[in-house]
Amino acid sequence: MDLGIIVMPSRSDMEQVLKQLRAGVDFSVLAKERSVDATAVDGGYMGRMIPEQLRAELRNALRGRKAGDLTDIVELPSGFAILKILPKPPALVDLNPKRISSLISTGAIRYGAWLSGQVEANAIMQQFPKPDGWNRDLPEVCRLRKESLSQARSDLRRALLDAEPKAEMDHDTTVDQINGHAALAQLFAYSGEMDDSIKEWKIAYDMAEREVPVFLPNLQESLGTAYLHRSEMNNGVYLDSTNLDIFPPLKDQAGYEKKDDSQQAIRYYEKYLKNNPKELEVRWLLNLAYMTLGQYPNGVSAEYRIPESAFRSSQNIGRFVDVAPAVGLNVVRGAGGLIVDDFENNGLLDVVVSSQDVCDSLRYFHNNGDGTFSDWTERAGLLDQLGGLNIVEADYNNDGCMDILVLRGGWEFAQRKSLLRNNCNGTFTDVTDASGLGASVTSSQTAVWADIDNDGYLDLFIGNENSPAQLFRNRGNGTFEEIGHSAGIDRTAFTKGVTAADYDQDGFVDFYVTNNNGVNFLYHNNGNKTFTEVARQAGVQGPVFSFSTWFFDYDNDGWPDLFVTGYMNSIDEALKTYVKQPFNAETLKLYRNKHDGTFEDVTAKVGLDKVFMPMGTNFGDADDDGFLDIYLGMGSPSYTALLPHTLLRNDRGKFFVDITQSSGTGELHKGHGIVFADLGRQGHEDILAEIGGAVPGDKHAMRVFKNPGNRSDWLNVRLVGVKSNQAAVGAQLKITVQDGSEAPRSIYRVVGQTSSFGGNPMEQHIGLGRDAHAIAVDVFWPATKTRQQFTNVAKNQYIEIREFAQDFIPLKRQPTQFGNGKLPAAPSSQSDDRGRVK
């Protein structure tokens, strides 16, 4: 039902409002004029919800009411309220962040137990004594993290023992003891010491059961999740690639060998559900616990079962298989970044991963050219590059070799960033301070490279958390100057994503910035090194809680569209997408470029009006049909956040279809850096996913989902700038092709357009569909306004196009025996161009 609310500070005020309403005054007008609730700006509109999502007082007031009815006056902690069941939702003009916050505070958006220890560990780190300049010294940050955690555990344990009274504890002392043991349990969970964590949770639980039963629901979910996490660890799912953490499970898939902990998890989840049978988050965790026993779905009692049918795919492009161990890429890391590119200029794609853990180094994997990779981290000189929630590649100095930017401190505390110059010999040099990027220390995880003034050098936009955004102009001599304030982009927000594109095609690149708990920014480039913020005018301010974002041309009309993920961090809301319940959290957003400087919200039209919890995301062409698909890596720092990653197939620019189940890509554990790349040079893009959570106890082996192959054709184009930046970032490609007997069509790509959390190769892999012919390639270089056109280009080949050149250069790229010692076979279920199984 659609609900409106008016809140007043006193009962007498509310009685006056009720009198006006009964006299016929419009509800929304009165709400705007008098309500003290954050929903007042929207005429009191709360959203569409079911009664179970509301506080008990509001739920009871709605009983027996129908559309158009008012409730009686309801007393709330914030004042006195009246609700109305609205016949239809009002039209909302402006984005209202406060309305979302109101939904959270009233309980309409629910959060379950939070188990990871990240909050506690970060608070301890902030308070721990630190020397001057500590956050510029990476080994020092690691040392402080370890020492602060160890000391906090010792101090808390000692305090709990000292506070243990001889006689029976009073209520306040019991509450303090429960909270203390729960905090200690969190600190052990942080580092994955689940035996000690469970011991502390059980002490807290036993106390609550005897004295403070109001704590029991949270403790039941926490204990169940602690047991489930230990079950996963003891059965090896974090260290090895396995189908045991792919959802939905394969038919007749066996469960874990060691089952005791999963059974204990089920015991506590069922205790919780006995009193709260409709709580989706715990029902979901119960279903997953039964999956670890090999008993999902039939082993789950009907009242708690979440049916497998809710996750079935209606289309099938074949099943992807994880080949990370076979190719030498099953590196175990926490939350971090992932980039894939030719760092050695030998035609082979190498892989670099980072980790949020401040004691983990970057890892560099050299492509051996035979379908396998070797760890060259030490040889590359990267062992001392510790931490890094994200990494971004670019050739910032135009020497033809791809460099690496490391971003640190996201969600935690300010740390130095690193600019690593590629020495063009397989090694890297830290030039952060020499380049001018080391002058400030911020908390960040997101940045984008773009040539803002078309001078042929890549500039750098960095989004920070609770400090001004930064814009570093490349001077062309290996150094940068910070011009954020003069450029007009130095707004302060909790920024989570940035991306770049010339959205209005005026020849200058623009920026889009996503923020968590606030409106997003669209910075229009004025062509004179200044920008104007136009998100409201362009219609792209939402979602309020945003994360990853990118520009891409999803419908191949030649104009960059905008994709933005919401991130409400509510498992309950995310699950409603699958079980077809109305949700209150914001959905993903897809904004179609209207070619006039504004965008149309087509989210619902293309089937993306869904609530997910994506962190790492990216796009690529999984089936080589020429339309860009989406892969979302789900999760949050909590061990409860076990949601299947999602592969969304772009059906000819008209609709996005969830093919997770049929593709076998539904990894349940935390997803961060996501990349689409043809690792084996076989003409199809594989999906790489760095898996792992925000705390050391949640690290996981990386996934390399090998593309099953298809019958579509393709073209791989490497662009090289001459007067433009050498990596060709911002250059535009138009591929005209006729596939089969259909009319010619155009496919559009822009170099450097990739996710704000994961770096695809700069070379462009372009699917052409089946039986492609009459292929033409057009290139536009914005910096020099140069156009090149090549006709009668053969399909299924790798080519290089240099700026100003009259001809392209065919490149030798040898396919390798990638993953299983042989070239991929066609998928067992071939599908037609629309993805329907034949």
Side-chain angles (χ1 to χ4, degrees), residues 315 317 623-625 627 649-652 711-712 739-742 745 768-771 830-836 838:
Q315 296 183 2
I317 65 170
D623 55 354
D624 285 326
D625 65 350
F627 291 92
R649 179 177 181 269
N650 184 342
D651 197 340
R652 293 181 173 251
R711 297 185 299 184
S712 293
D739 47 349
S741 58
E742 298 187 10
R745 63 182 176 118
L768 302 175
R770 295 185 184 169
D771 303 320
Q830 285 290 351
S831 57
D832 65 16
D833 280 342
R834 296 185 181 274
R836 296 181 294 239
K838 289 185 175 179

Side-chain angles (χ1 to χ4, degrees), residues 271-573:
K271 280 177 177 282
Y272 180 104
L273 290 168
K274 184 177 180 181
N275 296 313
N276 305 277
K278 294 186 177 181
E279 287 289 348
L280 264 179
E281 178 174 314
V282 180
R283 284 178 57 201
W284 168 249
L285 292 169
L286 176 70
N287 279 253
L288 293 184
Y290 271 103
M291 188 183 100
T292 68
L293 300 178
Q295 298 175 16
Y296 171 83
N298 295 332
V300 187
S301 63
E303 62 178 321
Y304 302 144
R305 185 184 306 142
I306 295 178
E308 188 179 9
S309 58
F311 300 87
R312 287 178 189 158
S313 304
S314 61
Q315 296 183 2
N316 185 359
I317 65 170
R319 192 169 183 88
F320 289 67
V321 177
D322 181 16
V323 298
V327 302
L329 287 175
N330 59 329
V331 58
V332 177
R333 276 292 180 268
L338 169 66
I339 50 180
V340 175
D341 221 311
D342 182 0
F343 289 97
E344 301 166 30
N345 286 337
N346 58 5
L348 301 172
L349 295 176
D350 310 297
V351 177
V352 186
V353 295
S354 68
S355 175
Q356 184 175 5
D357 188 330
V358 296
C359 297
D360 282 347
S361 74
L362 260 63
R363 297 288 291 275
Y364 178 91
F365 291 91
H366 161 77
N367 190 324
N368 298 320
D370 60 359
T372 66
F373 293 78
S374 295
D375 189 339
W376 276 20
T377 306
E378 183 174 8
R379 177 173 174 174
L382 298 177
L383 281 178
D384 60 348
Q385 292 296 328
L386 306 179
L389 185 53
N390 200 9
I391 47 180
V392 188
E393 82 265 38
D395 180 6
Y396 80 93
N397 57 356
N398 283 346
D399 65 354
C401 303
M402 203 62 66
D403 313 298
I404 300 173
L405 175 72
V406 185
L407 299 164
R408 301 183 175 93
W411 301 107
E412 294 191 325
F413 41 83
Q415 298 174 57
R416 64 161 288 182
K417 59 187 73 70
S418 293
L419 179 61
L420 307 176
R421 187 189 67 213
N422 189 335
N423 299 318
C424 300
N425 61 1
T427 68
F428 294 82
T429 298
D430 190 328
V431 296
T432 311
D433 292 333
S435 70
L437 296 186
S440 60
V441 176
T442 59
S443 297
S444 179
Q445 64 168 57
T446 184
V448 65
W449 296 90
D451 184 357
I452 66 166
D453 50 4
N454 290 333
D455 66 350
Y457 290 94
L458 291 175
D459 311 297
L460 176 63
F461 186 115
I462 296 181
N464 294 312
E465 296 177 357
N466 295 330
S467 62
Q470 297 168 295
L471 181 58
F472 292 92
R473 181 179 173 274
N474 193 328
R475 292 189 177 105
N477 61 359
T479 68
F480 296 82
E481 60 174 330
E482 210 284 294
I483 62 168
H485 181 68
S486 64
I489 61 87
D490 60 337
R491 294 191 176 204
T492 296
F494 198 82
T495 295
K496 302 311 298 176
V498 296
T499 187
D502 181 6
Y503 76 90
D504 57 353
Q505 297 197 1
D506 65 354
F508 291 94
V509 69
D510 312 293
F511 294 115
Y512 185 75
V513 180
T514 66
N515 302 307
N516 199 259
N517 197 10
V519 297
N520 300 331
F521 308 141
L522 177 61
Y523 289 112
H524 174 260
N525 190 330
N526 300 320
N528 59 0
K529 302 184 185 66
T530 69
F531 294 78
T532 301
E533 203 287 298
V534 296
R536 185 178 184 276
Q537 298 93 307
V540 293
Q541 284 187 302
V544 170
F545 288 86
S546 295
F547 203 160
S548 188
T549 184
W550 63 69
F551 284 101
F552 73 152
D553 188 355
Y554 83 94
D555 55 358
N556 280 326
D557 68 349
W559 291 76
D561 309 300
L562 180 60
F563 178 79
V564 193
T565 66
Y567 192 67
M568 187 58 73
N569 209 351
S570 168
I571 299 169
D572 186 75
E573 288 293 307

Side-chain angles (χ1 to χ4, degrees), residues 70 123 184 241 272 288 341 367 394 460 526 547 597 600 662 670 675 698 719 765 786:
L70 295 168
L184 191 53
S241 296
Y272 180 104
L288 293 184
D341 221 311
N367 190 324
L460 176 63
N526 300 320
F547 203 160
E600 174 192 3
S662 62
K670 316 305 165 53
V675 166
D698 206 12
L719 297 181
H765 177 91
T786 301

